[in-house]
Amino acid sequence: MRRTPFTSRVEALGCRVFSVYNHMLLPEVFRGDEADYHHLKTHVQVWDVGCERQVELKGPDAARLAQLMTCRDISKCRIGQCLYVPLVDERGGMINDPILIKLAEDRFWLSIADSDVLLWAKGLAAGLKLDVTCTEPSVWPLAVQGPKAEDLCAKVLGESVRAIRFFHFAEMEWQGHRFIVARSGWSKQGGFEIYVNDWDLGGALWDELMAQGKPFSVGPGAPHNTERIEGGLLSYGNDFTNANNPFEIGLEKYVHLGRPIEFLGRAALERISAKGIERRMMGLFIDAQSLPACDSPWLVWNGPTKAGELTSCSISPMFGKGLGYAMLERGAWEEGTRLTLETPDGARYAATVTPLPFWRPER
Amino acid sequence: MRRTPFTSRVEALGCRVFSVYNHMLLPEVFRGDEADYHHLKTHVQVWDVGCERQVELKGPDAARLAQLMTCRDISKCRIGQCLYVPLVDERGGMINDPILIKLAEDRFWLSIADSDVLLWAKGLAAGLKLDVTCTEPSVWPLAVQGPKAEDLCAKVLGESVRAIRFFHFAEMEWQGHRFIVARSGWSKQGGFEIYVNDWDLGGALWDELMAQGKPFSVGPGAPHNTERIEGGLLSYGNDFTNANNPFEIGLEKYVHLGRPIEFLGRAALERISAKGIERRMMGLFIDAQSLPACDSPWLVWNGPTKAGELTSCSISPMFGKGLGYAMLERGAWEEGTRLTLETPDGARYAATVTPLPFWRPER
């Protein structure tokens, strides 16, 4: 359970709850669940997401290996661009859903969710005898998220951050050191991820963001379950696992079977595409003003028939009711279907099927 | 962060601290650190180690894949046997240190420490186009550890558990269901690991062990940092990482370069063996009656020279002083060398180098 360059800062600022993600501490709660939510949507937060580990692929076969790992065509990806890439195994099962960052023609980072993608990359590279080095570099992302994130980053890193387009990155200099800064992040409030590659400077950068951010009501924060559900962000290990394929979780637009690319899951995804899927992740509006935590899946009933599982839920202040993600079987996934949720303790809630995402920001 | 079949039981029994291991909850403290230690060494504890995930290799190439992953010769391993197998990558770096369980000539489990070995196995199998299926079966180990573990298991599972030899397993029947039961576990107090493969029966088995164990003063427990350091057990991710090779961490007896086996790290380990290592894990006796938690490595000084890092430590009631593991550079690893430890907060402790393990049980 590794610390990040920012752990001492979040401890000092009263982080109440930590999770563990990629064998590393992930702060979760500062002011309380609802206060953190409103702060994120109103001001700007600095997040210790050092646990968002990078898998670096470097060498003549780096692009080939990256493509083998994902069903999304990366051949047109330019240096400076970030791509959301579903990683799929030879059975078409999801391995992770990282951001691919193209640093050079022969150098990529995969900014990963919670599974050891490095081991999969190393296994493939060794098995295929590829000329590529797969490592976990000493990089700990720091996210600046919220409607005032651009103003804060412009003040600290320079006005040119404003020119960074969504899902693109630039190298920015701070204190004589160059950091990769991307317009991205695991919220829908806008902002940046700073790929901190110097442990000591990381703490100093955190302090500077806090100091310069006072006029913007900056504070520490963390990825927020309610906000991410509202915006349709999926969580690997919770909403989907290796047992799911990308079609089941609404990622069909990233499955590029029509392009001449070679990837590990091609044959399996072609079979699944031809046959069709038997379950699909959908949104649920839940008739509730409060909900218990969903720390293991809840049963979903369609009348007397089991219709699937709820994997995440939260009460949304934005919608004034509960929102949830559910993996639903064919026959239960049509928009407007009325379903019943059953918690492990036997509590029941009525819910209505709706497409995802619940809400999408204007860009 | 997944629950196990036993999570509700350990919550009800007052588990105070959880860790996260293989994306799953691992209970850590029940009575308090020192009371848990003495209870484990005196009576019998039932441990929720459901997080000790299994990687199943099954198919015609299962044995070949298992051998490719480890530097230990597994060709003589018999069905019913368990082997401690260092997994090493093509650079000779450690990937994990699981127990290999041979279930059949074409079926193995790797009972893993905290890293996604499944992804490495899948990558290798896919890259080499091996005829093997790599999965994470629905198996959650339950450990029964302590000097009275055999009596308790004999009472609940039947007298024939007494015949199971160390690092061997047998199939035992309980409630009409067959479980694999091995004489093993992450303590040096003796005991068994029950490979529970039925979620609901798992809870019932926990309850039965607790009920039948009253005469043995049974209680819940967990792997204990002090006890495992006394006994020389290493923790992947803490005491060693992928940056270490097996020679550096005292596993040379499991590096079978002289046997005609094919494994991924052979060339790298041959080079390292010929050249010799530059750092080595050693034990330290620490002159202290209390120590802060070692939650990130401490510096080790040999006079004015940096000599390595301390990765784990604890005050041992058995030795009446501090014990620690340190990765020491050549020149500092000789038995009897006096060193100085420096915590991240700047506290200093004197220490003396000693071979590992500190203590070995009689068998």
Side-chain angles (χ1 to χ4, degrees), chain A residues 3-15 18 25 27 30 48 199-200 202-204 206-207, chain B residues 345:
Chain A
R3 294 166 70 87
T4 81
F6 322 111
T7 305
S8 62
R9 267 64 180 184
V10 299
E11 284 171 343
L13 288 164
C15 177
F18 284 91
L25 290 170
F30 287 87
D48 170 5
W199 183 281
D200 295 321
W206 174 285
D207 295 340
Chain B
D345 293 336

Side-chain angles (χ1 to χ4, degrees), chain A residues 68 81 85 130 169 228 263 311 328 334:
Chain A
L68 277 173
Q81 205 178 347
V85 288
L130 298 181
F169 70 83
R228 70 103 184 170
F263 65 95
T311 56
L328 298 176
E334 292 303 316

Side-chain angles (χ1 to χ4, degrees), chain A residues 273-308:
Chain A
S273 174
K275 190 165 166 255
I277 52 173
E278 295 301 316
R279 55 186 180 172
R280 171 173 291 171
M281 173 150 295
M282 295 295 291
L284 293 181
F285 284 120
I286 307 169
D287 305 353
Q289 293 302 312
S290 74
L291 286 167
C294 180
D295 55 11
S296 56
W298 299 0
L299 284 178
V300 180
W301 297 92
N302 187 9
T305 313
K306 188 170 171 268

Side-chain angles (χ1 to χ4, degrees), chain B residues 138-361:
Chain B
S138 293
V139 171
W140 304 269
L142 188 63
V144 184
Q145 300 283 301
K148 302 177 186 170
E150 184 173 312
D151 287 340
L152 174 54
C153 285
K155 194 171 169 189
V156 172
L157 299 170
E159 285 295 318
S160 56
V161 296
R162 299 192 194 274
I164 300 174
R165 286 177 295 151
F166 184 66
F167 264 48
H168 285 72
F169 69 84
E171 275 201 292
M172 301 293 298
E173 193 170 309
W174 185 76
Q175 303 264 358
H177 191 88
R178 294 176 78 78
F179 295 113
I180 284 169
V181 178
R183 193 185 288 266
S184 57
W186 212 62
S187 86
K188 293 291 179 181
Q189 305 310 311
F192 297 87
E193 289 179 294
I194 306 170
Y195 288 83
V196 173
N197 60 355
D198 180 298
W199 183 282
D200 296 320
L201 265 186
L205 177 58
W206 175 286
D207 295 340
E208 178 82 353
L209 287 162
M210 286 294 157
Q212 296 289 334
K214 288 216 170 73
F216 309 114
S217 304
V218 73
H224 196 286
N225 191 48
T226 310
E227 194 274 344
R228 70 103 184 169
I229 292 174
E230 288 174 349
L233 294 169
L234 302 181
S235 169
Y236 179 74
N238 293 307
D239 302 316
F240 64 102
T241 69
N242 187 242
N244 298 112
N245 64 59
F247 296 111
E248 291 173 344
I249 56 174
L251 301 183
E252 50 274 3
K253 70 177 164 179
Y254 303 120
V255 183
H256 291 161
L257 295 173
R259 312 267 187 97
I261 55 171
E262 188 195 351
F263 65 95
L264 210 62
R266 174 181 274 283
L269 292 183
E270 282 172 349
R271 277 195 303 275
I272 293 164
S273 175
K275 190 165 165 254
I277 52 173
E278 294 303 315
R279 54 187 182 172
R280 171 173 290 172
M281 174 151 293
M282 295 295 291
L284 294 182
F285 285 120
I286 307 169
D287 304 354
Q289 294 302 311
S290 74
L291 287 168
C294 180
D295 56 11
S296 55
W298 298 0
L299 284 178
V300 180
W301 297 91
N302 187 8
T305 311
K306 188 171 172 267
E309 283 187 337
L310 179 102
T311 56
S312 290
C313 68
S314 185
I315 295 293
S316 162
M318 187 180 197
F319 287 88
K321 54 187 156 187
L323 307 181
Y325 296 157
M327 186 61 71
L328 298 176
E329 288 168 28
R330 178 182 293 282
W333 72 43
E334 293 301 317
E335 185 172 356
T337 308
R338 288 289 285 172
L339 300 170
T340 304
L341 312 181
E342 181 187 343
T343 73
D345 293 336
R348 287 173 163 257
Y349 300 91
T352 307
V353 177
T354 185
L356 288 170
F358 297 100
W359 167 82
R360 203 187 294 271

Side-chain angles (χ1 to χ4, degrees), chain A residues 12 16 22 71 92 103 109 113 124 130 148 151 166 169 182 185 198 239 248 257 275 282 290 295 308-309 318:
Chain A
R16 299 185 191 185
N22 285 323
C71 52
L103 299 163
W109 283 350
L124 283 169
L130 298 181
K148 302 177 186 169
D151 288 340
F166 184 66
F169 70 83
D198 180 298
D239 302 317
E248 291 173 344
L257 295 174
K275 190 165 166 255
M282 295 295 291
S290 74
D295 55 11
E309 282 187 338
M318 187 181 198

